[in-house]
Amino acid sequence: MSKNSFGQQVVWANKNNLDRRTDFTKVIGQNKHGIYVLKHKNSTFRRYFILEHFDKKLNLLKSKSFKMPGGELEKIIVTENNVIYFSKVFGKGFNYKLQMQSIDSAFNESYPTVIASSENFDNETVDFKIEYNTKKTKFLVWYLIDASDSSVLNYHLCNPKGIERSGSTSLRFNLSELFIGDDMIDNDGNLFILYTRSEKFRSKNSQDFSHYFFGYNLYTGRKFNSLINNSKTYISSYKLSYNYINNSVFAFGLYGNNEEEENIGYFQIRANISNSEISDVSFNAFDRKFIASIIGVKNEQKGENISKFKIRKLVPKADGGTLFIAERTYVTTQSEIFYVNGIPQSTYARIYNSDEVILLNLDSAGQIIWTDIIFKNQSTTNDGGYYNGIVVMVNEDKVSLLYNDKLNANADIIQITYDADGQHTKKILLNNDQYYALVIPGESSQVTSNSIVIPINQNRDFTYIKLLY
């Protein structure tokens, strides 16, 4: 079913043939054969996963459960011709292996290729990280193993047929002191990591946390490991971005000086891929008028700052700049006391809050071209924030943000679309009176340069929509 919403095409899936055996759903991509959706009873993906295959008009073609006895899904990727997945499979004792398999459009599986085996590192438990390039032709599997006073980083660069090259390098800190915050590879497969090092992860003091930007060239062996912050600076959120147009990797983040959730400004660090070195670093405080527009003039005059913002999306631009999108999100606990037969009882609720969204359009040097703020107030109880947050759709010259308005009341689905110069329009994409629908932001996926598929709860029934821009 296809309808136009203010000139924009909305394609609805047929609810009659959707699989209802699962609770967790994730749209994973589209190729020439159609759209693929991953399903499971929860997000652990142990022992099996369900794959649904739709045509490009969201008609269900087939659904199949893929068994993984004694295993769990690590990563699944829709490539140009098929679906590739990595699974961690456990054997006898403490033995396990990471294997790669492909699934064709008829849902036939290839024979598994073993990428890494725990026998090679004394069956030590490792956390596999798997990243892929923009063309989805290279897949980098990497993991850390403890050494005496450092960590060994092992890697296996794969193509759809198997391992291309393997190797190792090192990080100079013990594994127990490290938290990997973000990682990515460029189109050649070179690795970049943002990580935090601390001996006291429960501490509230900035001097107990060091944040690093690490890069490693798989072909030359060159690497950098640069400290981002000083002992007085808190880094509250960070993320990597790859601009394939000019072959640059950027680290972005939000920082503060007084407490860990404060955001007084942002930073941008550029890495030069060819020689594996840091080329540009800039830390920029937010303009006080910008802060006042979010928290109010009176609070700004008291010296207060914005806080609790998390980076949601980094959009690389053709001019080498970046559109930086962050959302204020946090969880609070609410307790109530009630009486049963005169005896006080207590109950607790977790409140999931997603509030303002800020957009910073930056040039290649990290300087602000324009900013904007979206004011919203999403607050839900004991649901994990399932319907909170934003969906971001990026096409050639516009960026659209979608979200559920007024979650505690009758919700409309709002869309705000930005041009390159910051001009924007706001509209109700789907109104409550007609559709009674809620988007599920965390399970949606942009599947082509001009379309996005979003799981929808419509009148307490599950379905999908595809938006064509």
Side-chain angles (χ1 to χ4, degrees):
M1 180 173 64
S2 178
K3 293 183 179 180
N4 285 325
S5 177
F6 300 93
Q8 182 176 315
Q9 192 176 1
V10 183
V11 179
W12 288 81
N14 184 348
K15 285 188 279 190
N16 294 332
N17 59 8
L18 296 182
D19 192 320
R20 291 178 173 81
R21 290 177 288 168
T22 58
D23 294 324
F24 185 86
T25 302
K26 176 67 179 175
V27 180
I28 55 172
Q30 175 180 308
N31 62 17
K32 61 186 179 182
H33 303 296
I35 298 163
Y36 293 89
V37 173
L38 180 66
K39 307 192 80 170
H40 195 268
K41 66 180 179 182
N42 54 50
S43 59
T44 60
F45 291 103
R46 293 196 177 113
R47 297 190 297 276
Y48 76 96
F49 63 87
I50 295 170
L51 198 61
E52 289 184 333
H53 181 200
F54 295 82
D55 67 16
K56 294 176 183 179
K57 294 183 179 179
L58 286 181
N59 297 304
L60 183 65
L61 301 177
K62 62 178 75 72
S63 177
K64 181 179 177 180
S65 179
F66 292 86
K67 306 295 184 184
M68 298 180 295
E72 57 190 39
L73 186 67
E74 291 283 318
K75 195 86 167 186
I76 188 163
I77 306 152
V78 178
T79 68
E80 183 180 359
N81 296 309
N82 54 23
V83 176
I84 288 178
Y85 75 94
F86 294 81
S87 57
K88 187 177 184 180
V89 179
F90 295 87
K92 294 181 180 180
F94 297 103
N95 182 271
Y96 62 90
K97 58 189 175 183
L98 182 78
Q99 58 189 34
M100 179 178 75
Q101 289 174 265
S102 63
I103 302 170
D104 65 19
S105 59
F107 278 9
N108 299 309
E109 288 182 271
S110 69
Y111 191 78
T113 299
V114 176
I115 304 301
S117 175
S118 64
E119 296 172 351
N120 299 329
F121 37 87
D122 297 325
N123 292 335
E124 184 177 337
T125 300
V126 301
D127 182 17
F128 290 109
K129 305 286 187 181
I130 304 167
E131 297 299 333
Y132 52 88
N133 63 355
T134 52
K135 297 178 181 178
K136 299 178 181 177
T137 56
K138 294 182 184 291
F139 317 99
L140 185 69
V141 175
W142 69 274
Y143 49 95
L144 295 171
I145 299 172
D146 244 340
S148 56
D149 57 353
S150 62
S151 300
V152 177
L153 190 160
N154 291 334
Y155 69 86
H156 308 285
L157 183 64
C158 307
N159 60 38
K161 295 181 179 180
I163 297 174
E164 271 187 24
R165 63 188 298 137
S166 298
S168 65
T169 183
S170 62
L171 291 176
R172 67 173 188 263
F173 304 118
N174 290 332
L175 189 56
S176 62
E177 301 171 0
L178 299 179
F179 169 76
I180 306 300
D182 197 17
D183 67 306
M184 65 175 301
I185 64 172
D186 63 18
N187 272 342
D188 292 323
N190 299 311
L191 176 62
F192 300 87
I193 306 171
L194 287 176
Y195 71 91
T196 299
R197 185 253 177 173
S198 178
E199 295 178 358
K200 304 174 183 177
F201 275 106
R202 293 178 179 270
S203 171
K204 300 292 185 182
N205 298 319
S206 60
Q207 67 256 28
D208 291 328
F209 295 88
S210 301
H211 306 280
Y212 289 85
F213 184 16
F214 173 88
Y216 181 67
N217 189 311
L218 273 60
Y219 301 92
T220 66
R222 289 180 64 103
K223 64 182 178 181
F224 63 83
N225 192 35
S226 298
L227 180 67
I228 294 173
N229 64 314
N230 60 36
S231 61
K232 296 180 180 179
T233 304
Y234 294 91
I235 303 293
S236 58
S237 180
Y238 53 48
K239 199 171 182 65
L240 289 167
S241 176
Y242 174 47
N243 192 320
Y244 68 91
I245 299 169
N246 58 21
N247 205 29
S248 295
V249 172
F250 293 88
F252 292 87
L254 297 167
Y255 72 92
N257 288 332
N258 295 317
E259 48 104 5
E260 60 181 333
E261 294 184 323
E262 179 188 60
N263 313 128
I264 66 169
Y266 67 94
F267 66 83
Q268 171 183 288
I269 305 172
R270 186 207 306 256
N272 187 319
I273 292 173
S274 61
N275 58 15
S276 298
E277 293 180 353
I278 297 291
S279 55
D280 296 295
V281 179
S282 64
F283 276 70
N284 302 277
F286 291 127
D287 182 88
R288 297 306 296 179
K289 290 181 180 178
F290 176 74
I291 291 174
S293 65
I294 300 173
I295 64 174
V297 174
K298 289 185 179 179
N299 290 326
E300 187 279 325
Q301 289 175 345
K302 295 176 185 175
E304 294 182 14
N305 290 295
I306 61 175
S307 65
K308 300 181 175 69
F309 277 87
K310 299 288 186 291
I311 301 172
R312 289 294 183 236
K313 187 80 171 179
L314 298 170
V315 183
K317 301 187 298 177
D319 62 5
T322 303
L323 179 62
F324 180 113
I325 303 172
E327 181 181 28
R328 187 168 187 256
T329 177
Y330 56 99
V331 181
T332 55
T333 302
Q334 189 177 71
S335 62
E336 292 183 9
I337 296 177
F338 61 97
Y339 290 84
V340 178
N341 297 327
I343 301 173
Q345 308 284 329
S346 59
T347 181
Y348 295 89
R350 289 176 67 79
I351 313 298
Y352 294 85
N353 303 279
S354 296
D355 296 335
E356 301 91 350
V357 176
I358 58 175
L359 296 93
L360 312 175
N361 189 9
L362 310 176
D363 64 19
S364 59
Q367 300 303 306
I368 290 177
I369 302 171
W370 56 260
T371 65
D372 196 43
I373 307 159
I374 298 173
F375 291 95
K376 63 179 181 66
N377 187 349
Q378 296 173 318
S379 180
T380 57
T381 304
N382 292 338
D383 69 343
Y386 194 55
Y387 299 107
N388 294 1
I390 55 175
V391 177
V392 181
M393 167 67 201
V394 182
N395 55 10
E396 188 173 345
D397 57 352
K398 297 181 189 298
V399 174
S400 296
L401 280 68
L402 297 89
Y403 60 92
N404 299 309
D405 188 32
K406 299 177 183 176
L407 282 174
N408 292 331
N410 295 330
D412 296 322
I413 297 174
I414 303 297
Q415 176 175 281
I416 304 177
T417 300
Y418 289 85
D419 295 331
D421 60 2
Q423 298 295 313
H424 58 276
T425 58
K426 180 178 180 180
K427 70 179 184 182
I428 297 174
L429 181 71
L430 299 174
N431 64 64
N432 172 71
D433 293 340
Q434 185 177 1
Y435 293 98
Y436 195 70
L438 294 171
V439 297
I440 307 172
E443 298 180 358
S444 65
S445 179
Q446 182 168 338
V447 294
T448 68
S449 60
N450 70 336
S451 66
I452 188 167
V453 177
I454 307 173
I456 290 274
N457 184 331
Q458 187 186 26
N459 200 16
R460 299 184 180 179
D461 204 358
F462 183 84
T463 188
Y464 306 94
I465 60 170
K466 185 178 187 179
L467 303 178
L468 299 169
Y469 290 81

